[in-house]
Amino acid sequence: QVQLVESGGGLAQAGGSLKLSCAASARTFSSYAMGWFRQAPGKEREFVAAINWSSSIPKYADSVKGRFSISRDSAKNTVTLQMNSLKPEDTAVYYCATDLYFNRVVGGTSAYWGRGTQVTVSS
């Protein structure tokens, strides 16, 4: 069983930055792919970013490409999402996800999910 705990959400102004972190409990965290999803009110959950176990293949949604950056620290069992140039449409609950298989993370079918952290961007 893998537990994920997100942190770092909050309120930011448009054009500002926030950094989200996700701490994983798995002893074999280094073997897992990690990702971030978000869900805005009244909308379906959508893919934001993902990174494979070796950190060699980050993948981003077109809507955040060039503004968000995903990275991981296997020694600390954490993955972070640096969000720059925030826009009001980035407002959502952000969820951390993990799975042994990168495609499952990207596809939204990860085995494990965190409870989410709220990000609100004001205009």
Side-chain angles (χ1 to χ4, degrees):
Q1 186 73 15
V2 177
Q3 292 184 333
L4 303 173
V5 179
E6 303 96 335
S7 61
L11 178 64
Q13 290 187 334
S17 298
L18 283 174
K19 184 177 182 179
L20 304 183
S21 294
C22 175
S25 65
R27 288 181 294 176
T28 56
F29 171 77
S30 60
S31 301
Y32 285 71
M34 303 290 298
W36 290 93
F37 282 71
R38 66 186 182 187
Q39 187 168 20
K43 295 187 177 181
E44 294 186 354
R45 186 176 61 192
E46 64 175 1
F47 169 76
V48 175
I51 191 166
N52 71 333
W53 68 273
S54 66
S55 302
S56 63
I57 313 177
K59 185 176 178 66
Y60 300 95
D62 288 342
S63 59
V64 306
K65 204 171 291 184
R67 300 188 297 121
F68 290 10
S69 177
I70 187 171
S71 61
R72 65 187 297 160
D73 185 338
S74 294
K76 296 182 179 179
N77 280 12
T78 59
V79 62
T80 61
L81 184 69
Q82 178 66 46
M83 305 185 295
N84 300 325
S85 302
L86 284 164
K87 303 176 181 180
E89 51 263 44
D90 293 321
T91 295
V93 177
Y94 283 70
Y95 297 91
C96 180
T98 187
D99 198 283
L100 282 172
Y101 301 99
F102 184 68
N103 288 340
R104 288 182 185 175
V105 173
V106 175
T109 58
S110 295
Y112 306 103
W113 294 82
R115 293 188 175 185
T117 185
Q118 177 69 47
V119 170
T120 303
V121 183
S122 62
S123 57

